[in-house]
Amino acid sequence: MKNKGLFFTIFISLMLLLAACGTSDTEQNTQEDTDQNSQQADDNETASTHWNEIEEAGEIVVGTSGTLYPASFYPEESEELTGYDIEIIKEVANRLGLEIKYETMAVDGMLASLNNGRVDLVINDMEITEERKKQFSFSDPYKYSYTTMIVRAEDHSGIETLEDLDGKKAGGGATTVFSQIAEHYGAEVVTYGNATNDTYLRDVDNGRTDTVINDYYLQSLALKAFPEFDIVLHPDLKFHPTEQAIVMPLESNVLNEKINETLAEMREDGTLTELSEQFFGGKDASKQPEEDIVEIEGLDL
């Protein structure tokens, strides 16, 4: 009888222990679910709040350079911004019933201005990259392109392959993807502030730099705008396909959804094609290029 009593006591103790453990696990899981739901609710509230603030103000603050022809620039003797990117965001804002306030700045400060709340979005031929997607929200692409380089006409600045960039000087912004490409191949990046295209191109022409690595469409139009410089697009180097999009703070889901819906309408009704052909010499940058473009191996963007 004593053994039976001892067994019964141990059995009851084990049951109580297991019940206690089960209760603890359940409480922990419940708390984790509560925390997760609370965080999700906070994220949803933040996403809605940003859009609600913009909608209530009736105005969206746009960061751009104003010096990137033909994406974002001031025509000669004009104080009104225009360009492919600018006309796109004007149309988006118009369809959403919003006015635009522009904040012009150097490209190096654009993403920081999103983080500190100075602007609601950035549009400036900004490339989508995996690293940027960890920190910011991107719209669907409004432009598809690839990368080229401007070199001196007489000798291509001594560059016949990407590997020949080693030891060369490349003009560009400090934080751009194009500067990362130059550095990847061993070039020295000569940085500028919010400089206009003629500054970059003149420096290749006079030998201060050897090349400017940038977007194909932008480079093509820049060359036509400054025929006095003895420079050309490199005839053999087409690399790093790109997608450009509007950039927003990471939590701006509602704003992103509304912009994507509007861009889809503009793509469907031909507005994107019409604007592209207007600014890119009849070419449709809103569609993916058919050229054979070289992917760069080992470049972490």
Side-chain angles (χ1 to χ4, degrees):
M1 293 296 293
K2 289 182 179 180
N3 289 338
K4 288 183 178 179
L6 179 60
F7 174 78
F8 181 74
T9 301
I10 294 173
F11 176 76
I12 292 298
S13 298
L14 287 172
M15 290 299 291
L16 290 172
L17 179 61
L18 290 173
C21 290
T23 301
S24 177
D25 289 344
T26 301
E27 289 175 350
Q28 182 177 354
N29 291 336
T30 301
Q31 185 60 48
E32 288 175 354
D33 290 342
T34 301
D35 292 343
Q36 185 175 1
N37 291 335
S38 177
Q39 181 62 50
Q40 186 174 2
D42 289 344
D43 290 344
N44 290 338
E45 183 177 355
T46 301
S48 298
T49 298
H50 189 206
W51 165 249
N52 290 340
E53 290 173 349
I54 292 170
E55 188 176 35
E56 184 177 347
E59 180 183 78
I60 192 162
V61 184
V62 174
T64 191
S65 67
T67 58
L68 188 61
Y69 179 85
S72 168
F73 66 99
Y74 290 96
E76 190 173 353
E77 299 182 356
S78 174
E79 295 182 358
E80 184 176 352
L81 271 172
T82 189
Y84 180 56
D85 291 32
I86 297 302
E87 297 306 321
I88 284 175
I89 201 60
K90 281 182 183 177
E91 183 64 20
V92 168
N94 181 59
R95 296 191 187 196
L96 291 176
L98 300 171
E99 298 293 327
I100 295 180
K101 177 184 177 182
Y102 295 105
E103 291 282 350
T104 56
M105 62 191 71
V107 65
D108 296 347
M110 289 181 185
L111 298 182
S113 71
L114 280 174
N115 281 331
N116 64 29
R118 179 180 172 185
V119 299
D120 296 309
L121 60 81
V122 164
I123 184 165
N124 200 72
D125 205 62
M126 193 69 69
E127 180 182 344
I128 302 171
T129 70
E130 291 303 314
E131 193 61 34
R132 287 173 177 169
K133 283 165 65 176
K134 296 175 184 177
Q135 306 174 64
F136 303 97
S137 178
F138 285 84
S139 71
D140 294 333
Y142 60 81
K143 176 169 171 273
Y144 299 89
S145 188
Y146 56 91
T147 308
T148 58
M149 63 176 72
I150 286 176
V151 291
R152 286 183 287 279
E154 58 182 353
D155 62 351
H156 297 167
S157 300
I159 301 169
E160 298 304 332
T161 68
L162 288 172
E163 287 72 20
D164 291 335
L165 284 167
D166 189 19
K168 302 294 184 181
K169 292 184 178 181
T175 61
T176 65
V177 169
F178 306 115
S179 291
Q180 291 181 55
I181 292 173
E183 290 172 339
H184 178 74
Y185 285 101
E188 174 190 347
V189 175
V190 178
T191 60
Y192 299 76
N194 199 21
T196 52
N197 285 339
D198 61 305
T199 303
Y200 289 93
L201 302 185
R202 182 178 293 104
D203 282 354
V204 176
D205 180 55
N206 65 30
R208 180 171 182 254
T209 61
D210 298 298
T211 185
V212 176
I213 300 174
N214 211 301
D215 174 79
Y216 162 72
Y217 290 106
L218 300 187
Q219 303 252 64
S220 298
L221 271 292
L223 283 178
K224 290 183 179 179
F226 301 101
E228 65 270 26
F229 299 136
D230 191 25
I231 53 179
V232 295
L233 273 183
H234 200 293
D236 302 319
L237 299 179
K238 300 176 181 180
F239 52 96
H240 185 61
T242 60
E243 296 179 350
Q244 283 74 26
I246 300 167
V247 197
M248 291 154 276
L250 191 61
E251 70 278 3
S252 298
N253 297 338
V254 177
L255 175 60
N256 200 341
E257 289 172 6
K258 292 187 176 295
I259 286 177
N260 280 338
E261 290 171 2
T262 309
L263 287 175
E265 293 172 2
M266 292 168 64
R267 186 178 298 280
E268 181 66 24
D269 65 24
T271 302
L272 290 184
T273 295
E274 181 181 340
L275 289 174
S276 176
E277 290 175 347
Q278 176 184 343
F279 287 98
F280 295 124
K283 298 178 181 178
D284 190 357
S286 71
K287 297 178 181 177
Q288 296 193 27
E290 298 178 354
E291 286 88 347
D292 185 20
I293 313 302
V294 175
E295 294 274 6
I296 297 176
E297 299 292 336
L299 183 62
D300 185 13
L301 298 175

